[in-house]
Amino acid sequence: MFLSLLIGFPIMLLCLFLQAIFLALCLRQYVRFRHAEQSHDSLGRNALLLGLVMLVMLLGNFVQTAIWAALFLYLGEFDKFETALYFSGVNFATLGYGDIVMTEKWRLLGPMEAAHGILMFGVSTAVLTGAVMDVIKQAKGRRHGH
């Protein structure tokens, strides 16, 4: 158990750091786009902007899922990356199908990834919520002449 924690926590920290990078890039581009295109707001531009926010955050989650899969492959839990990625995706999304299980030695890594994944989906949801609220605020401001 201790070995799983010793290996799992650095992977979690790496993934948290990567998601922070995706988040910072996403927000930086969002602010830049909103500032440059504020006078040209339209339904299409807002939909594109929100879609890009979703895609960037989803890409961040996918990269993290792949990192966990690479760890499982490295530890010898799976012989193919595709199987490791499937297992990782099931954990990350907290689906817990149970059709594939890891050995007793490493099985604590599954719940660790699930806890990490649910946190990262929460972060992604918060970012998207912030972007949606900003689009609404901008639309209300235009309607009221601000």
Side-chain angles (χ1 to χ4, degrees):
M1 181 177 99
F2 181 71
L3 188 56
S4 290
L5 295 174
L6 194 62
I7 290 175
F9 279 125
I11 296 298
M12 288 176 88
L13 290 174
L14 170 66
C15 288
L16 288 169
F17 178 72
L18 288 174
Q19 190 70 350
I21 290 172
F22 276 95
L23 174 63
L25 289 171
C26 184
L27 293 178
R28 178 179 292 169
Q29 294 305 314
Y30 179 86
V31 168
R32 198 174 283 160
F33 184 86
R34 291 298 283 159
H35 182 70
E37 302 295 329
Q38 203 165 10
S39 62
H40 299 97
D41 269 349
S42 69
L43 177 63
R45 286 186 190 274
N46 286 336
L48 177 64
L49 181 58
L50 293 175
L52 289 174
V53 168
M54 285 185 268
L55 284 174
V56 169
M57 297 311 294
L58 187 60
L59 178 62
N61 289 331
F62 181 76
V63 167
Q64 292 172 77
T65 303
I67 289 170
W68 281 97
L71 173 65
F72 300 149
L73 197 62
Y74 174 77
L75 294 173
E77 287 296 305
F78 304 102
D79 55 355
K80 294 190 317 188
F81 183 74
E82 293 80 12
T83 305
L85 187 61
Y86 167 78
F87 179 79
S88 181
V90 168
N91 282 331
F92 199 87
T94 69
L95 292 171
Y97 287 151
D99 56 339
I100 300 174
V101 294
M102 293 189 358
T103 61
E104 190 172 322
K105 180 178 181 180
W106 299 115
R107 68 178 171 195
L108 185 59
L109 292 173
M112 287 180 74
E113 183 185 11
H116 176 79
I118 197 69
L119 175 65
M120 292 303 97
F121 280 122
V123 169
S124 298
T125 301
V127 170
L128 184 57
T129 300
V132 169
M133 295 304 293
D134 184 63
V135 167
I136 292 170
K137 179 182 166 188
Q138 294 295 327
K140 283 177 117 178
R142 277 190 312 283
R143 245 185 273 148
H144 290 67
H146 296 105

